[in-house]
Amino acid sequence: MMDNVKESVKETLGLSGKKVRYGVVALGDISQIAWLPGVHHTGNSELTALCTSDAKKAQEVGKQYGVPSENQYSYEQFDSLLKSGKVDALYIGTPNWRHLEFTIPALQAGIHVLLEKPIEIDTATSQKIIDAQKASKAKLMIAYRLHFEPATIAAIEKVRSGDLGDVFMFTSVFSQPLHPENHRAQSGRKAGPVLDMGVYPINAARNLFGTEPIEVYAKGTKHPESGFSNDFEDTVAVTMTFPGNKIAQFTVSYFGNAVDEYTIVGTKGSIRMNPGFLYTDALTFDPISILQDKKNREIQAS
């Protein structure tokens, strides 16, 4: 029993000599900036295959990470990758609306999948992926790193500790100027900031409140001067109500200047997280507001 535990720990730390062989599907920014550099930090994983629609990009990334040309596949060769025996798991970082076409065949082939958020673009399609996982021996995990982000965990612990009192309000602004030719602004109603950015404030509010929303209201606007198509709202404001008279409001936008923050407010204190969601900088929260709130209450009571 103890020997099995030791071996499991060794594998997790990359000390057993056996590593998880990963293939990457899609080589966009999220793959190259956030995921690929992380593989070599794990100690228990290695990159063994690439799959992309851009052969030139595959060559460049393959050279950078030591993936030979025979382990570089086009999207049309995806089935060959699944049958190659060269990967144990896949990281899938395609546009949201292409998650299903790669994830389900991988799960059916018994290959584990680390899938970029969101799981897909609607509930029905997402359920198909979940059902495919249940029918497979392979594992499926959504690559949502904020569940493990130290500052996020610290904020949740602060809320749970009661230091903020009765936490009842969440507000967030998440905006990033996007070029109209970016793939996230293409593909009609499948595009837009809600599916791309909305998952962050939604999950933040759910985790901080520790419960699920019971009502949702949204209003979107379109700015003709943005250069975006008229298929989606480039700026969307959302209000969610939760049990216990808790309320969350957030705005996501492809049109505005870069803003990335949220605030959680309680009856005794508050936390402001800035940056709140993005991976380019370390997340931190401002606990000074807790002390300041206490000081204000003392002044008002005196």
Side-chain angles (χ1 to χ4, degrees), residues 116-217:
E116 257 306 321
K117 58 80 194 164
I119 187 169
E120 249 287 354
I121 61 170
D122 56 46
T123 303
T125 311
S126 299
Q127 190 61 52
K128 291 179 181 179
I129 292 177
I130 294 171
D131 292 341
Q133 188 282 320
K134 290 179 179 179
S136 171
K137 293 183 179 180
K139 298 182 183 300
L140 169 68
M141 181 176 180
I142 305 304
Y144 190 74
R145 66 187 165 76
L146 287 180
H147 292 315
F148 309 100
E149 180 70 44
T152 300
I153 294 172
I156 293 172
E157 290 175 347
K158 184 65 69 173
V159 171
R160 300 288 187 273
S161 72
D163 287 354
L164 306 186
D166 180 16
V167 174
F168 67 96
M169 182 168 61
F170 171 95
T171 63
S172 175
V173 176
F174 192 16
S175 174
Q176 51 184 234
L178 192 74
H179 195 282
E181 294 181 5
N182 188 289
H183 75 83
R184 291 180 291 166
Q186 305 297 322
S187 298
R189 297 296 299 178
K190 299 175 183 178
V194 174
L195 289 171
D196 179 31
M197 302 164 67
V199 294
Y200 291 101
I202 290 172
N203 268 342
R206 292 172 59 240
N207 283 305
L208 289 162
F209 286 154
T211 186
E212 300 294 341
I214 55 178
E215 290 181 308
V216 179
Y217 306 89

Side-chain angles (χ1 to χ4, degrees), residues 160-286:
R160 300 288 187 273
S161 72
D163 287 354
L164 306 186
D166 180 16
V167 174
F168 67 96
M169 182 168 61
F170 171 95
T171 63
S172 175
V173 176
F174 192 16
S175 174
Q176 51 184 234
L178 192 74
H179 195 282
E181 294 181 5
N182 188 289
H183 75 83
R184 291 180 291 166
Q186 305 297 322
S187 298
R189 297 296 299 178
K190 299 175 183 178
V194 174
L195 289 171
D196 179 31
M197 302 164 67
V199 294
Y200 291 101
I202 290 172
N203 268 342
R206 292 172 59 240
N207 283 305
L208 289 162
F209 286 154
T211 186
E212 300 294 341
I214 55 178
E215 290 181 308
V216 179
Y217 306 89
K219 175 63 178 178
T221 60
K222 301 176 182 180
H223 296 84
E225 64 271 32
S226 68
F228 298 129
S229 71
N230 200 44
D231 294 326
F232 65 88
E233 291 79 11
D234 58 66
T235 302
V236 180
V238 178
T239 297
M240 302 187 295
T241 58
F242 290 77
N245 297 317
K246 303 179 189 298
I247 192 165
Q249 294 178 307
F250 68 86
T251 301
V252 290
S253 178
Y254 277 168
F255 183 62
N257 183 50
V259 180
D260 172 17
E261 63 181 18
Y262 69 79
T263 301
I264 186 79
V265 180
T267 54
K268 295 181 180 179
S270 59
I271 290 175
R272 183 175 67 91
M273 192 83 77
N274 186 353
F277 308 114
L278 293 181
Y279 55 83
T280 50
D281 297 301
L283 273 63
T284 59
F285 70 79
D286 178 13

